[in-house]
Amino acid sequence: MKHIAGVSAVVRAVSLLCVAVLGVGVISACGGGSTDEPGGVDISSGSRHLNLVAYAVPKPGFDVIIPAFRKTETGRDIGFSQSYGASGDQSRKVARRVPADVVNFSVEPDITRLVKEGVVDENWKKQAPNNSTPFGSVVALVVREGNPKNIHTWDDLLKPGVEVVTPNPGSSGSAKWNLLAPYAAKSQGGVDDKAGLDYVSKLVRDHIRVQPKSGREATTAFEQGQGDVLISYENEAIMLKRNNAVAAENSKVDYVIPDETFKIENPVAVVNTSDDVAGAKAFVDFLFTDEAQRLWAQQGFRPVTQSIIDETKGSFPGEIRKLWTIKELGKVLGEGTAADNDGKDLTGWKAVDSKLFGQKGAITKIYAKGGKK
């Protein structure tokens, strides 16, 4: 493919700007230019164009997924712009009609917001396999190399002097997953709500000193030396571990998968105001192909197609005794809510958000009071 020298220079400048921005832990519209940064491969050219608006964490996956899609017959003439940031913030931008064709957010409520605004179809979960969730992860604990604080369980985070980094759930979907893991473990899946909230209160009050806006900003803060433990997605932990060979001594890490943790499910949807709905749907469909599923796994994300799950299981070590899910937790937390919800108990994220993270949610109140319930 021919490149005009002036354009190439601009591309290099934009890439350098994005790298500089990443260095201070902020990701917003970077990647919205012409390259998939790792190899400088052009991803913007084509007679058709798609805008991908996503939460910050899956950028390494899309950096390889998009070029692979553009090599297919369907995607060869589709160019891309990308925007990455905190999941809630990104969702609110699209709700305000920031140009978007495909969205990928950390949590389902960030897509539900767009359904209410009329920019995503109500049946979006049925438009692709696995409830339109092409990849996922589990909640992990990232520690300094050698695990000097001897962190293995959720209780270990409450040891005196242990400082924990996790983003703010007011802006970050990652933060919600991070907090749901210990809440579910300590509350027995919501059965003992008080025990779960007591744990979160102690964690916020005594151990969380910094609250970045997104999961990726939290990772950057930890890389820069803040905190003893980073609560994060397993894929972020894998990425950081792979970087040990080139990382500074104080930035090298190990990670632990608690034997009781939470399944992370990150949905994708087509924006119905797109100028190219067919192209957007084709890209979403590609995310579920065996080729794309393998690429997700290579970048540390857990695939959702069973054959690729079996094929790549060696890439995800750790013995998980109990993997809690939104479905399980929502069933418990939504019990008894029918009177206020047209005769039906809330389920799934609706129940979890209402109970824990909504404006009147228990964890929202804990954060507002600095760790007090």
Side-chain angles (χ1 to χ4, degrees):
M1 184 177 294
K2 295 181 180 179
H3 292 274
I4 299 173
V7 174
S8 297
V10 172
V11 166
R12 287 194 296 273
V14 171
S15 295
L16 289 171
L17 175 62
C18 286
V19 170
V21 173
L22 285 171
V24 296
V26 178
I27 301 176
S28 57
C30 284
S34 302
T35 67
D36 72 335
E37 292 161 22
V41 177
D42 173 40
I43 63 167
S44 67
S45 62
S47 63
R48 300 159 68 184
H49 195 84
L50 295 179
N51 294 290
L52 170 66
V53 179
Y55 72 107
V57 170
K59 186 180 185 300
F62 284 117
D63 280 341
V64 295
I65 292 285
I66 290 174
F69 174 67
R70 281 169 53 82
K71 291 179 181 178
T72 68
E73 182 63 26
T74 303
R76 65 182 179 83
D77 204 31
I78 298 179
F80 282 80
S81 293
Q82 305 165 85
S83 173
Y84 298 95
S87 186
D89 290 349
Q90 293 290 83
S91 173
R92 284 183 281 270
K93 288 178 185 177
V94 178
R96 296 194 300 267
R97 302 305 194 269
V98 165
D101 301 285
V102 176
V103 294
N104 174 217
F105 296 140
S106 180
V107 293
E108 184 179 315
D110 287 336
I111 294 183
T112 303
R113 176 185 290 115
L114 303 186
V115 174
K116 293 178 180 177
E117 291 295 327
V119 296
V120 166
D121 292 342
E122 191 171 355
N123 69 341
W124 65 273
K125 293 174 74 172
K126 298 180 180 179
Q127 293 178 0
N130 195 45
N131 290 323
S132 290
T133 302
F135 63 90
S137 194
V138 299
V139 179
L141 302 177
V142 185
V143 298
R144 302 299 175 186
E145 188 176 43
N147 197 2
K149 297 285 187 174
N150 197 28
I151 303 295
H152 297 283
T153 69
W154 295 111
D155 285 338
D156 292 336
L157 300 192
L158 302 186
K159 291 178 179 178
V162 173
E163 292 191 5
V164 177
V165 178
T166 186
N168 190 309
S171 60
S172 170
S174 302
K176 292 182 178 182
W177 294 116
N178 292 354
L179 296 170
L180 285 177
Y183 170 83
K186 293 301 175 182
S187 69
Q188 301 174 56
V191 173
D192 188 350
D193 181 58
K194 183 180 184 301
L197 294 177
D198 283 346
Y199 179 93
V200 174
S201 294
K202 292 175 184 176
L203 184 69
V204 173
R205 184 183 66 237
D206 300 330
H207 300 276
I208 295 177
R209 298 288 178 260
V210 293
Q211 298 177 25
K213 289 186 66 176
S214 74
R216 180 51 57 84
E217 287 186 32
T219 296
T220 300
F222 191 74
E223 286 181 295
Q224 293 174 345
Q226 298 186 56
D228 303 300
V229 184
L230 170 69
I231 310 179
S232 191
Y233 290 14
E234 178 187 40
N235 53 276
E236 287 285 277
I238 290 171
M239 179 192 73
L240 288 171
K241 179 79 171 178
R242 289 175 179 173
N243 287 343
N244 275 356
V246 296
E249 284 301 316
N250 64 348
S251 296
K252 294 182 178 181
V253 306
D254 285 321
Y255 70 91
V256 175
I257 305 296
D259 68 353
E260 193 169 358
T261 189
F262 213 93
K263 182 180 181 180
I264 297 169
E265 301 168 272
N266 308 127
V268 64
V270 171
V271 177
N272 60 26
T273 55
S274 169
D275 291 332
D276 190 350
V277 171
K281 288 183 175 179
F283 179 60
V284 169
D285 288 344
F286 178 76
L287 303 180
F288 294 87
T289 64
D290 285 356
E291 178 184 5
Q293 289 287 294
R294 290 189 183 96
L295 291 174
W296 286 122
Q298 289 169 13
Q299 297 303 310
F301 300 87
R302 295 203 175 206
V304 298
T305 301
Q306 189 59 52
S307 60
I308 309 303
I309 292 173
D310 295 339
E311 179 183 313
T312 61
K313 62 183 179 181
S315 300
F316 304 98
E319 294 293 330
I320 299 175
R321 176 175 56 82
K322 175 59 182 177
L323 187 63
W324 294 102
T325 68
I326 280 292
K327 184 177 181 179
E328 286 178 288
L329 191 59
K331 183 177 180 180
V332 173
L333 296 186
E335 189 174 354
T337 60
D340 297 321
N341 295 282
D342 299 323
K344 293 184 179 180
D345 281 347
L346 294 177
T347 59
W349 264 111
K350 289 182 179 180
V352 172
D353 241 16
S354 176
K355 177 71 175 182
L356 301 177
F357 297 114
Q359 290 184 349
K360 298 180 180 179
I363 291 179
T364 299
K365 291 178 180 178
I366 287 171
Y367 267 79
K369 296 179 180 179
K372 299 177 182 178
K373 290 188 295 179

